[in-house]
Amino acid sequence: MIGHTGSGKSTLIQHLNGLLHATAGDILYDGESIYAEGYSLRKLRSQVGLVFQYPEHQLFEATVLDDVMFGPKNLGLSVEEQKERAITALGQVGIEESLFDASPFELSGGQKRRVAIAGVLAMQPKVLILDEPTAGLDPQGKKEILGEIAKLQKEQQITVVFVTHCMEDVAEYADLILVMNHGKVAFYDTPARVFAHKEELKDLGLDVPQVTLVMQELHEIGLPVSADVITLKQAKDQILRVFAANASSRDEEVACDA
Amino acid sequence: MKNPMIQVKNLIYDYLISKNEDEEPERHRAIDDVTLTVETGDFIAILGHNGSGKSTFAKQINVLLKPTSGTLIVGGMDTADEKNLLPIRQTAGMVFQNPDNQIIATIVEEDVGFGPENIGVPTDEIWKRVEKSLSSVGMLHYRKHSPNRLSGGQKQRVAIAGVMAMKPDCIVLDEPTAMLDPAGRKDVIATVRELNEKENVTVILITHYMDEVVFADKVFVMDAGRIALQGTPREVFSQVEKLKEIGLDVPQVTELAHELKEEGLPLPDGILTPEEFREEIEKLWQSSAEMSPTSILKEADLKSRLSIRSI
Amino acid sequence: MREITIGQYYPAESVIHRLDPRVKLVGTLVYIISLFLFKSFSCYFVVAAFLFTVILLSKVPLGYILRGLKTIIFLLLFMSMFNLFFTPGDVVYWKGGPFQITDAGIRNAGFMALRLILLIIGSSLMTFTTTPNQLTDGLESLLKPFKKLGLPVHEVAMMMSIALRFIPILMEETNKIMMAQMARGASFDEGNLIQKAKSLVPLLVPLFVSAFRRADDLAMAMEARCYHGGEGRTKMKPLRYQSRDYIAYVVMLLYLATVIFTGKVLYL
């Protein structure tokens, strides 16, 4: 999910687990209205896990393990189950066992954030929503976190919604992009199709990935490359192919002439 | 010959961590033997991942921290000397990461006036400076506003105006865009570049966004408290492998150009912007069309011609 | 949480905004004293009329001011009920166990509520129309005599103004942390008092951590901008009495005289 600050992204995702109640309209989860009478919001929140921006600011327990157990505890699970889930979740985000008894406040920034994400994963949600999970991290930390989230999505079949400002991340990880503008959905489509609207996105204060930009421009000036390239690898393959094709067609001409 | 703005010689900084009160505190080296010079009027970028020592270094310039050993001279003044404290802080102003935590007043103009008040500038002069510095960051229109209602990028520009009102020779910005959205980031960087060009303020920008340092005169890359790489952006970004090893990114087109070059396409090193990339590929495309009918991928002659032309 | 308006500045161009903060501080003090001096409804009518005039002059919307009362509504109800049920009086309208409703009780409850409402509105009007920096300057100037006794007047005033500046930020933060813990299945409105108190731990720890982090950041930012206490400091907006300020002092005296007159001479 992308959109400039104040476009309504954060407000929208807080509706998805019932933290905010819509003024009008309905939200269906698994085919059921979450506003129906008697619908358990607590259950919804365990199924639709929401990780806020800078989630490490919400850590509060004395140890990492206790903090991650907070969610399962609220679900009313036994202590053994709480612990089991916490350990699984910490494993999923790559926190080593030696850190389980450490105070969350002693960890590095990236570690803290992963513990905080584990705190939501420990509820074993089917949908994981993350509000700018990489904000403030350096490139290395960013890659690690996104890599782990992508792995969860593939291996645990978790549906992931993530809010970001980084188009390169969108291109690399997302199946679909939702572009928000002034509280409305501006686009909801595959990255390649959304990035084709370069000018409209610019008007919304959004960019396309650098590679998409250059490939669109090369396409416009007549190079036989496709304009819907969104990742670095695609761009590289395309450029190499056209130059190789060009070269071999000339080689053929030489052969014919001869 | 003008004096350099900042001279750093064999700077070392250790901080102490004590987990237990009885235990001997543990020494942790944050800056490890750094020597560098920043010339007056330059736009300097310092890159590095979190914990590389870049923020610690920034705080040294502003004497929020003092060297464990080595010397740091700012505008001709030694930071180790107690009596230089206020003059140095006035010479080298500092802007921090979190826009919310560095605004003191509840009205924009009063916040900008805070610095000049502290250094004892006469009232009439404070008003002039506030007006001038707010207009230099394009925020004069917001002078009577409450900072709480501004966007992150606008708050950072107010913070920059607050520093400018002290008439510094140099501004140190410690990851000023880390908490901003892309639009806010662009605004802040554009403001800083303008101050550097028009007011000739020396800028030291600390960041981990690669696209922000493309315009710098010189880039220093820090890793584990040391300077791992330095040079013009083009020189530094030519070293894609080394940067990746340190855990840093390069702009996407730089990486693309680098990978294409690895595959044998004769592109120059250190392409920095999409425009440059497009131009280079276009040139290559045209010359491949004109070329004698041999695969340009193998054409050594062309390769050398291109690399000469592009530098 | 965003509804909290008490203690916040409301930017506007008005006579009241332009008044010297010292006038407003003294005025608020006079006003508060006037509230507690008297026990007749007619006096409160004068007080309310005065307050209403000042609000009109200040250009702060009435709705905005009243919103600030929302936060104290419980305190208000509690104190009124207490007075209503526990005050002995000559005429007893109703009696049940330890509770009774008497003429004096109704009177006291009414007074209490009225006084509290007028007090809150009056004093928040001062913060609505005075920036924390001006407030700091005004306090500093008024407290100057105590400086000789060793009281760190500038520093105390500075602390006050920073506290006011951070109220909305910490409120928003509290809200955010609450939402985040709710997303992890926490609830803040279930169970008995002890359970409720316990559920505050996940809220208070992060809040304190964040407050300290902000304090640390702010201290550094202030130092970086050459802050070193009150010594050698100049003012961007130095306090100088204008003719309107002297007029305001006269109005204040007239107001006090009117209230005393209605209360003590007319016995209304």
Side-chain angles (χ1 to χ4, degrees), chain B:
Chain B
M1 180 68 193
K2 257 168 125 186
N3 277 329
M5 189 66 241
I6 291 166
Q7 270 178 299
V8 187
K9 223 171 173 184
N10 304 108
L11 180 71
I12 288 177
Y13 181 74
D14 293 341
Y15 60 87
L16 305 172
I17 309 172
S18 42
K19 285 193 177 169
N20 268 316
E21 281 187 21
D22 338 310
E23 272 177 43
E24 185 77 359
E26 213 174 292
R27 265 178 186 275
H28 185 92
R29 184 146 293 186
I31 299 180
D32 191 2
D33 197 13
V34 164
T35 298
L36 62 87
T37 303
V38 175
E39 298 297 338
T40 304
D42 269 2
F43 188 126
I44 300 294
I46 301 180
L47 284 171
H49 57 79
N50 292 346
S52 61
K54 59 188 196 306
S55 284
T56 313
F57 179 67
K59 285 175 192 142
Q60 300 270 349
I61 300 174
N62 203 257
V63 215
L64 292 167
L65 297 172
K66 280 184 184 176
T68 306
S69 78
T71 53
L72 176 58
I73 313 277
V74 179
M77 295 171 280
D78 192 338
T79 64
D81 193 341
E82 193 68 43
K83 73 172 195 298
N84 288 337
L85 183 73
L86 291 179
I88 290 179
R89 284 187 180 157
Q90 195 214 315
T91 308
M94 186 147 175
V95 175
F96 298 85
Q97 187 187 82
N98 191 328
D100 279 324
N101 298 356
Q102 55 182 319
I103 290 181
I104 291 117
T106 35
I107 292 197
V108 166
E109 63 176 13
E110 286 184 11
D111 189 72
V112 177
F114 179 76
E117 284 183 336
N118 289 334
I119 52 177
V121 175
T123 301
D124 296 344
E125 172 74 11
I126 296 182
W127 282 89
K128 276 185 212 147
R129 287 192 185 191
V130 166
E131 197 164 320
K132 184 167 179 289
S133 45
L134 272 175
S135 70
S136 73
V137 299
M139 290 293 291
L140 192 60
H141 179 64
Y142 295 88
R143 63 187 300 169
K144 301 277 180 202
H145 283 228
S146 153
N148 287 338
R149 286 159 196 246
L150 302 181
S151 73
Q154 289 173 327
K155 281 182 205 166
Q156 288 300 56
R157 276 150 68 199
V158 170
I160 293 171
V163 170
M164 286 301 293
M166 296 199 291
K167 293 206 170 166
D169 299 322
C170 172
I171 300 188
V172 184
L173 303 106
D174 187 5
E175 298 197 44
T177 58
M179 301 180 80
L180 306 183
D181 70 354
R185 276 177 54 195
K186 270 183 211 157
D187 277 354
V188 169
I189 295 301
T191 304
V192 173
R193 283 183 67 191
E194 201 178 295
L195 290 177
N196 175 247
E197 277 160 24
K198 289 198 182 149
E199 322 251 332
N200 202 31
V201 179
T202 310
V203 171
I204 299 179
L205 173 69
I206 288 158
T207 184
H208 52 234
Y209 287 114
M210 305 302 140
D211 45 343
E212 291 175 359
V213 310
V214 168
F215 319 101
D217 294 309
K218 200 164 182 194
V219 180
F220 294 95
V221 179
M222 285 191 72
D223 184 37
R226 289 170 170 272
I227 290 179
L229 285 171
Q230 57 177 304
T232 62
R234 206 176 295 281
E235 282 161 6
V236 167
F237 286 138
S238 314
Q239 313 211 33
V240 177
E241 304 299 330
K242 179 103 196 242
L243 284 168
K244 290 203 149 180
E245 214 173 277
I246 297 172
L248 292 173
D249 265 339
V250 293
Q252 214 181 11
V253 284
T254 310
E255 188 171 356
L256 178 59
H258 174 76
E259 289 199 3
L260 288 171
K261 194 174 174 232
E262 298 269 280
E263 296 289 336
L265 225 56
L267 288 166
D269 273 333
I271 284 179
L272 298 176
T273 62
E275 293 77 46
E276 271 177 37
F277 182 85
R278 199 203 60 220
E279 276 168 31
E280 291 298 336
I281 291 285
E282 205 181 338
K283 262 190 253 168
L284 208 59
W285 180 250
Q286 279 160 1
S287 48
S288 84
E290 296 159 7
M291 271 287 300
S292 67
T294 321
S295 165
I296 63 147
L297 288 170
K298 297 167 201 154
E299 188 55 60
D301 173 46
L302 173 75
K303 219 181 208 172
S304 55
R305 247 176 55 206
L306 273 171
S307 49
I308 290 163
R309 202 194 314 165
S310 61
I311 288 172

Side-chain angles (χ1 to χ4, degrees), chain A residues 185-228:
Chain A
V185 175
F187 295 100
Y188 186 34
D189 211 330
T190 60
R193 275 193 225 149
V194 172
F195 289 149
H197 301 271
K198 189 176 70 185
E199 295 304 321
E200 285 102 315
L201 287 173
K202 209 173 181 181
D203 289 342
L204 303 183
L206 300 169
D207 289 324
V208 299
Q210 277 193 340
V211 291
T212 308
L213 182 76
V214 292
M215 293 304 268
Q216 283 174 355
E217 284 175 354
L218 290 175
H219 180 80
E220 275 160 31
I221 58 171
L223 250 71
V225 291
S226 104
D228 61 1

